[in-house]
Amino acid sequence: MGNLRALVSVLGFTGSIGANTLDVIARHPDRFEVYALAAHSSVDAMLAQCLAFAPRYAVMMDEAAATQLRQRLPADAVTEVKQGDSGLAEVVTAPQVDVVMAAIVGAAGLPSTLAAARAGKTLLLANKESLVMGGHLLMQAVRESGARLLPIDSEHNAIFQCMPVDEHGIPVGRGVDKVLLTASGGPFRRWSLEQMFAATPDQACAHPNWAMGRKISVDSASLMNKGLEFIEACWIFDLAPERVDIVVHPQSIIHSMVQYLDGSVLAQMGNPDMRTAIAYGLGWPERLVSGVAPLDLVAAARLDFEAPDESRFPCLRLARESVAAGGTAMVVCNAANEVAVAAFLDQQIRFTEIPIVIERTLEQMDNVEPISLSVIESADGQSRQVAAGLLVDMQRSAGKAKQV
Ligand code: NDP
Ligand code: MG
């Protein structure tokens, strides 16, 4: 009898989305088999999961980590270790692979996400940065190869669940008026700019509703996450920016909504646990057990809504302006944000300086057509250099201010 289980490659499996994906997969050993696991350099976690899931391949981006893993795997292990970009590309495009979970964080996820789309895989897309950077290329690849893109970001997964789809699972906007993208507002929803100026990385990462990796947690605190998701929604659902509204909903029970021309609004609700979206992606069009507790609406008691405040959260404005500018502005916005967030997590800059770095980088960079992966990667690299230069200038002036 042939192998009826879907073969899955999980990219970024050591992260928050990756761990939740393995949790859901482990509940359905009859339906899924892990083909490959990929991470950057976390050898201990890779070793543990290779023993638990016995994948055919383990990919470490870092060379030293790959060597260490080879030494530490038992001699009779079924797993073969691969390394770097070529190793990653192989486990994404291998003909046997059915499903690719794209859960690498940041711009580093773009080449593998694009490769999965070009290879016609079922692409479970968590890595929102790849859509922000290469939305046009990625959506074109999905159309041309017949890949199936299933959004994992909870908001887009919710919209997908509330949106009519054709027989191939492609969302069709029939009768849709608007998409209502919900935002929790993050840990600083009620904070003043002065309080945010003094915010520490741990405070920014203490999200009230979701447990996530540190980069996306800072993005949630600055609302850049919602800005990136705004761009993501435009690409996935083929919507003009004016058809996506952002609504702050602090309880994170409604994960987003679709408003129809007849006045109906469909919402997808649930506890804030990424395993719902992951199980939906893995099982589509069926529903799978995910391990998520049932929603207790009586305990939740209320659902609140408010408008986002762009004066305290300028990252949202910068993301919207980047969409309006088109071209590589979104690549620049994303790259500058990654540099600024890393600097904030490293305590080199203040939380409130994140949007300053992004805005100045956007001012300094040319806007060109993102016609190929190399154009996008070049804009990404140049933006990182500009942003890094700005950080040096900012630190110099902060140093001078201290001396005065
Ligand atoms: P984490 O920071 O928790 O995990 C990141 C993963 O990416 C790790 O496995 C890490 O490996 C790997 N990684 C980092 N750099 C590279 C690289 N250069 N090449 C290959 N792998 C790399 O991130 P999250 O799980 O929070 O987020 C992953 C993606 O999903 C992000 O794009 C995020 O925006 C998106 N997302 C996350 C949500 C969440 O709930 N966390 C919700 C919605 C979207 P290693 O451990 O070896 O460093
Ligand atoms: Mg989200």
Side-chain angles (χ1 to χ4, degrees):
M1 208 174 94
N3 186 353
L4 297 176
R5 298 188 296 170
L7 281 176
V8 188
S9 287
V10 185
L11 318 185
F13 83 96
T14 51
S16 149
I17 292 286
N20 281 316
T21 304
L22 293 184
D23 181 288
V24 177
I25 286 178
R27 290 167 198 274
H28 302 280
D30 54 325
R31 296 187 62 129
F32 304 106
E33 182 181 337
V34 177
Y35 178 80
L37 294 173
H40 183 257
S41 51
S42 302
V43 178
D44 289 347
M46 182 62 102
L47 190 61
Q49 299 297 24
C50 282
L51 299 178
F53 287 91
R56 299 186 199 176
Y57 298 101
V59 184
M60 304 269 21
M61 299 310 288
D62 183 73
E63 199 177 337
T67 308
Q68 218 190 92
L69 183 67
R70 277 189 198 102
Q71 288 162 352
R72 290 175 60 191
L73 270 172
D76 60 349
V78 295
T79 306
E80 186 184 322
V81 180
K82 290 182 181 279
Q83 191 252 313
D85 292 333
S86 58
L88 194 60
E90 280 176 49
V91 304
V92 165
T93 58
Q96 307 92 301
V97 172
D98 302 297
V99 180
V100 174
M101 165 55 88
I104 291 174
V105 62
L110 176 61
S112 50
T113 303
L114 193 56
R118 285 180 172 157
K121 304 299 182 190
T122 292
L123 173 60
L124 308 191
L125 184 65
N127 176 239
K128 65 189 79 181
E129 295 89 346
S130 56
L131 257 183
V132 169
M133 297 171 72
H136 177 69
L137 280 187
L138 196 55
M139 296 312 290
Q140 189 184 22
V142 166
R143 278 192 305 274
E144 287 176 1
S145 71
R148 175 167 292 140
L149 190 155
L150 295 163
I152 296 302
D153 209 346
S154 61
E155 294 75 4
H156 307 76
N157 190 271
I159 296 163
F160 187 82
Q161 293 195 39
C162 298
M163 182 86 88
V165 292
D166 69 12
E167 66 275 22
H168 307 293
I170 296 171
V172 284
R174 263 196 303 270
V176 172
D177 181 19
K178 279 191 163 184
V179 154
L180 309 178
L181 192 66
T182 53
S184 69
F188 303 155
R189 184 170 60 93
R190 291 263 177 262
W191 286 35
S192 66
L193 279 170
E194 292 71 28
Q195 286 172 304
M196 284 193 256
F197 176 80
T200 65
D202 284 348
Q203 285 171 322
C205 290
H207 196 280
N209 306 334
W210 298 95
M212 307 182 286
R214 280 172 86 76
K215 189 265 176 181
I216 185 177
S217 295
V218 176
D219 286 349
S220 298
S222 70
L223 291 203
M224 178 52 93
N225 184 48
K226 214 45 58 181
L228 300 179
E229 291 182 354
F230 175 78
I231 301 171
E232 193 185 0
C234 294
W235 282 119
I236 297 181
F237 302 106
D238 194 19
L239 294 168
E242 54 277 10
R243 294 181 67 202
V244 182
D245 282 353
I246 296 171
V247 186
V248 175
H249 163 48
Q251 292 89 358
S252 297
I253 285 176
I254 294 181
H255 298 135
S256 278
M257 298 170 261
V258 177
Q259 178 176 305
Y260 286 84
L261 293 169
D262 62 3
S264 298
V265 175
L266 301 193
Q268 188 265 348
M269 300 197 278
N271 287 319
D273 185 322
M274 288 307 294
R275 289 176 300 174
T276 298
I278 292 166
Y280 189 76
L282 282 168
W284 188 89
E286 290 172 43
R287 300 264 176 186
L288 302 182
V289 166
S290 66
V292 176
L295 177 61
D296 182 343
L297 276 173
V298 174
R302 53 185 290 175
L303 304 176
D304 295 313
F305 304 96
E306 60 195 47
D309 176 359
E310 287 192 3
S311 60
R312 279 185 307 129
F313 297 100
C315 285
L316 203 48
R317 169 180 61 80
L318 292 168
R320 277 196 309 94
E321 287 174 0
S322 300
V323 182
T328 42
M330 290 170 271
V331 179
V332 177
C333 179
N334 179 70
N337 180 57
E338 286 190 25
V339 171
V341 168
F344 167 68
L345 284 172
D346 202 26
Q347 294 183 297
Q348 294 171 38
I349 59 168
R350 301 280 184 175
F351 181 76
T352 43
E353 287 174 318
I354 294 173
I356 298 174
V357 174
I358 301 168
E359 187 148 32
R360 291 193 189 156
T361 308
L362 278 163
E363 284 162 8
Q364 291 189 28
M365 286 290 299
D366 290 336
N367 193 350
V368 297
E369 275 308 308
I371 49 166
S372 67
L373 184 58
S374 62
V375 170
I376 293 170
E377 287 181 332
S378 149
D380 176 73
Q382 284 173 33
S383 309
R384 283 168 197 272
Q385 279 178 10
V386 170
L390 289 167
L391 289 179
V392 173
D393 293 346
M394 284 161 96
Q395 276 157 357
R396 260 193 220 125
S397 25
K400 273 191 197 142
K402 260 188 207 157
Q403 284 167 11
V404 174

